[in-house]
Amino acid sequence: MTEREKIFTRIRDALKTQAPMPGHHGSSHKPHAISEARNAIAGARQWLPDPGADSAAWLEQFQKLSAELKTVVHLCNDEADVHSKLRELALAEGWRKVAAHRHPLISPAATAIALPALETDGGYDANEMAKCDVGITACDALVAQTGSIFLTTRSAGGRALSVLPPHHVVIAHRDQLVPDLPAAFELMTRLYGENQWPSMSTLITGPSRTGDIERILVLGAHGPRKLTVFLI
Amino acid sequence: MKISLFVPCYIDAIYPKVAISMVRILEKLGHTIEFPEELTCCGQPPFNSGYWDDARRSARPVLERLKDAEVVVIGSGSCGAMMKVFYPELFAGHPEEASAKALSAKTWEFTDFLVTKLGVTDLGATFPHKVTFHDGCHGLRELKTKKQPRELLAKVRGLELVEMKEAETCCGFGGTFATKYASVSTAMGEVKCASAAETNADFIVSADSSCLMHVQGLLDRQRRPIRTIHIAEVLASE
Amino acid sequence: MSDVAIAPRAQFFEDADRITHDTEHRRRIQTAMGKYYVSRYSRQALFRNWQEARQTAAETKWAALKELDKHLEAFERNATARGTQVHWTSTGEQARQVIVDIIRRHNARRIVKSKVMTSEEIHLNQLLEQLGYDVIESDLGEYIQQLKGEPPYHFVFPCMHLSREEISDLFENHLGTAQTHDPEELTMIARRVLRQKYIDADIGITGANFVVADTGMISITENEGNARLTAALPRVMITLVGIEKVLPKFSDLALFLPMLATAGTGQPLTGYNTMYAGPKQPGESDGPIEWHVIFLDNNRTALLADPQQRDALHCIRCGACLNVCPIFKNVGGLSYGTTYQGPIGSVITPHFRGLQDWKHLSGASSLCGACTETCPVKIDLHHHLLHNRRNAIDEKRGFLEGMLWRGFTFLINRPKLFSLSIKLGRLFQPLHALVKGTIFDPAAAWTKSRELPEVAHESFRDYWKRRQSK
Ligand code: SF4
């Protein structure tokens, strides 16, 4: 028998005896019927924090959480507005080199900044990316409920672009904002379907952080110290 | 109602006033008290130590003696939880399973009995002191008696209740744990005493004399002025 | 395994005795946990119904384990379809061998790790260091513990017991950096050191929070970004994960991720929740060329075979049960001597490493139930501690203690004798003062720190008799 077979045999032997349903002991909670458990996730939405009723409320929620998380959100009228705000930011922070990826929203923005740019498409040198001041990416969705950004290798130029440079800038459209996590996961499934999954998808919630030293919050532990979202 | 009073060993020997107060309160409400003298202990000590055979041996006389009782009231969340929550598990698969379940159904912790079963909160008591309440873990988490004692205390004249920091944290008694793991138990108790003392209350009130025995022991050793008292004694004060 | 030099039980008592008297430790942990309580409970209050969310999570895990074999097969099928290599190991020894083989095949020298609790379980670092590899922990807390030469103190907050001064000293000694007591500057020192390590590493090793069956994904939760870098830059990625971490569906994450964040740290969502679906795919710009997912049993199937305690495999390692545990807060994480500390560790370690050797951890509890109440997946933790005690006695009855309980039962079943013993107690109590504080004190375990209560001058049963006879 291979080790794999041995493990599966042990699992199947163990599962011959059923375990009691959760909530069976010392709890006033009545367990749901099992059939309900299977559909639990459809129901999970109703227990999670309330993201608000309409897109205006979602935006408000996203902005509120972003402020708590120290994500900077700029509302922009159009792409030109994004570009001019980006130029201001580049100047204020003294950027010398940017990293970006090929994308209808991102490429024009990178060009507008008018600084040397590294494009990740088709591969790059990690040492070079480490020298960039900022990584500019698109994303798949923004989540109001948690103040998160959902992106993948495919939508955001690879695995490292959104985490290696010290500043991560996201450019997105307002209609990419979804109310809650169940909606975000539904959207991702719709976008990438069964076997189209990019090798990495990530939900980013605020800039990189740690509380490992005396539980005091410090931003920029390994990933970006700053996270800025331009919302068109 | 005819109430069978189960008196745990430490209340019997060390804190008889607790049981006497309960009798006084329940009789004043017009009920008849019966005391099953044959019973001394619910069997929790061997149960918690893993000696379930011995626990069953201790519990069988309880099942037998209280078989015909109308309702059983206990002045302790801990022994109450043992009989209400753990007897059915202890006897699962044993011939006594059904009688364990039957006993569980008619057993009440004292404050829960007053508030939930009898629907009484005002017992006409007067206790002109500042107090803080310690939730015994078994009462709090196995029997869900968080509100009941507070509702009762709210009606006591002259009494001011100040909640302590982390009121729901265990005091560290835990039965045989208190001596088997004495240093851990003591550290936990010190934390509890410190948060109780911070409230500047005169009394730590609880529905569990076993917790209070441990806490009072620590307070005495540390010479802190705050005293401990069982809620039944508070409710019987005039 | 670099197994215990002294018996786990003796070690626990020795360490616990020391730490419980360390008031500076007590203060530090209380302050840290105080911060946790504030954010955790305010975040939890935002859930429309936290109790229902817990129930749903528990049922999802229950259903997942019920068909564990099918889910693992589905994962394997979906993952291998995208070029992931899946390995199955029964023991730590086997898992270590698979990892060493991969490292050798790639002629790798430098290895960067993000948080991998399972690797602590199999003592991976010790082995790799012995073999001369350059292994570095990249999670800040784990890195600090690695420099200190200590295992993690808490599996979510690895160095919460250290002060900034101690960390500054560590950095000065190991990295030669100047003293600073600013947590931000200390973090930046580690950032600078570790950044180059990711870029230079040949192999990245990660753990996993969830194994998603229907999409063949591994989900990793972190705040710092170190796991993302570990999974992005090295050529080869290895993920070591316990077989129990399965979730049936991708969409299950929509519930589990916010619950993990809320229970673990009181965040709406942890900084990065990243789902990996394979090595670098055609057309992608970066990522490892090889990805190995190594499943570890290491006695998890033994726990699975115990239906009463099977729910302990629901654990999502949020650490909440440690944070609310008064035992943990007073004995500290290192006293346990286990990979997983606190209530969950006390429940599962006897299953993983032997009941008789580790039953003392199940004894080390007042059974207060704070852990069970806080657990986001409703593991019946404190009752399992009780069950471990029972199982240990059923397996091997203690001789002296057994006699004691026989005697106890004998006594309480004889009310007359019991009554007499109260009277004797009352009689002899004044004599106790003679031995109190000496080695002859039979109640020394109590009286070392506490006064004994006094036996009442009239017991309740005597009072009742007097009253009845009136
Ligand atoms: S047992 Fe529950 S509370 Fe403890 S770490 Fe696991 S999931 Fe969290």
Side-chain angles (χ1 to χ4, degrees), chain B residues 12-13 27 37 39-40 48 54 57 89 141-142 170 178 180-181 183 185-186 190 214 217 221, chain C residues 17 26 30 360 366 368 373 382 387 389 397 401 406 412-413 447-451 456 460-461 467:
Chain B
D12 184 15
E27 284 184 342
E37 276 174 76
L39 304 182
T40 59
N48 281 355
D54 300 278
R57 218 165 286 143
E89 185 178 355
R141 300 201 178 84
E142 307 289 348
C170 177
K180 281 189 184 166
Y181 297 82
S183 65
S185 164
T186 299
E190 284 170 1
H214 162 73
R221 181 61 58 86
Chain C
D17 212 37
R26 189 185 294 179
Q30 277 186 341
H360 58 281
S366 59
C368 77
E373 184 180 66
H382 72 299
H387 298 142
R389 295 180 190 182
R397 199 179 156 90
E401 209 191 339
R406 279 285 140 81
I412 64 164
N413 283 351
T447 56
K448 194 166 170 235
S449 58
R450 294 160 283 213
E451 297 299 330
F460 180 76
R461 58 189 63 241
R467 194 176 115 139

Side-chain angles (χ1 to χ4, degrees), chain C residues 87-89 91-92 94-99 113-125 204-209 211 218 220 237-245 291-298 300 340:
Chain C
H87 309 261
W88 301 92
T89 61
T91 62
Q94 290 170 9
R96 292 198 300 267
Q97 196 54 52
V98 172
I99 293 171
K113 289 175 71 200
S114 65
K115 198 180 228 158
V116 198
M117 290 312 296
T118 37
S119 79
E120 303 283 341
E121 209 178 307
I122 67 166
H123 307 284
L124 182 63
N125 285 13
I205 305 185
T206 77
N209 294 83
V211 171
I218 291 280
I220 302 179
M237 172 177 174
I238 299 175
T239 298
L240 181 64
V241 55
I243 52 167
E244 83 282 17
K245 293 252 175 278
W291 184 29
H292 299 267
V293 174
I294 304 171
F295 280 106
L296 177 70
D297 179 346
N298 214 19
R300 284 163 172 78
Y340 308 103

Side-chain angles (χ1 to χ4, degrees), chain B residues 134-176:
Chain B
H134 164 64
D135 291 284
C137 299
H138 274 99
L140 178 71
R141 300 201 178 84
E142 307 289 348
L143 301 175
K144 317 267 182 265
T145 51
K146 168 96 186 171
K147 277 200 230 112
Q148 296 86 325
R150 287 174 174 77
E151 282 174 27
L152 291 161
L153 291 178
K155 296 286 166 63
V156 175
R157 291 162 191 66
L159 181 144
E160 183 197 348
L161 176 68
V162 208
E163 295 287 356
M164 66 178 113
K165 199 171 73 198
E166 293 181 36
E168 294 186 0
T169 301
C170 177
C171 68
F173 173 64
T176 52

Side-chain angles (χ1 to χ4, degrees), chain C residues 120 142 145-146 148-154 158 161 334 338 341:
Chain C
E120 303 283 341
E142 299 259 345
Q145 288 304 94
Q146 189 187 23
K148 190 141 197 293
E150 246 177 24
Y153 174 94
H154 177 303
H161 61 309
L334 298 172
T338 55
Q341 308 80 18

Side-chain angles (χ1 to χ4, degrees), chain A residues 213-214, chain C residues 24 27-28 144 148 161-173 178-183 186:
Chain A
I213 301 174
E214 293 188 15
Chain C
E24 172 57 22
R27 190 197 56 77
R28 222 175 259 173
I144 290 169
K148 190 141 197 293
H161 61 309
L162 298 181
S163 67
R164 55 185 95 180
E165 289 80 8
E166 285 165 309
I167 294 168
S168 177
D169 288 348
L170 262 181
F171 283 1
E172 184 182 12
N173 291 339
Q179 285 278 346
T180 167
H181 295 165
D182 177 4
L186 287 167

Side-chain angles (χ1 to χ4, degrees), chain C residues 7 54 65 103 111 145 154 203 249 271 283 329 348 353 368 405 432 450 467:
Chain C
R54 287 176 81 211
L65 287 182
I103 295 173
I111 299 157
Q145 288 304 94
H154 177 303
I203 292 201
K249 293 189 287 170
K329 285 190 280 181
I348 62 179
R353 298 173 69 181
C368 77
W405 292 121
H432 182 247
R450 294 160 283 213
R467 194 176 115 139

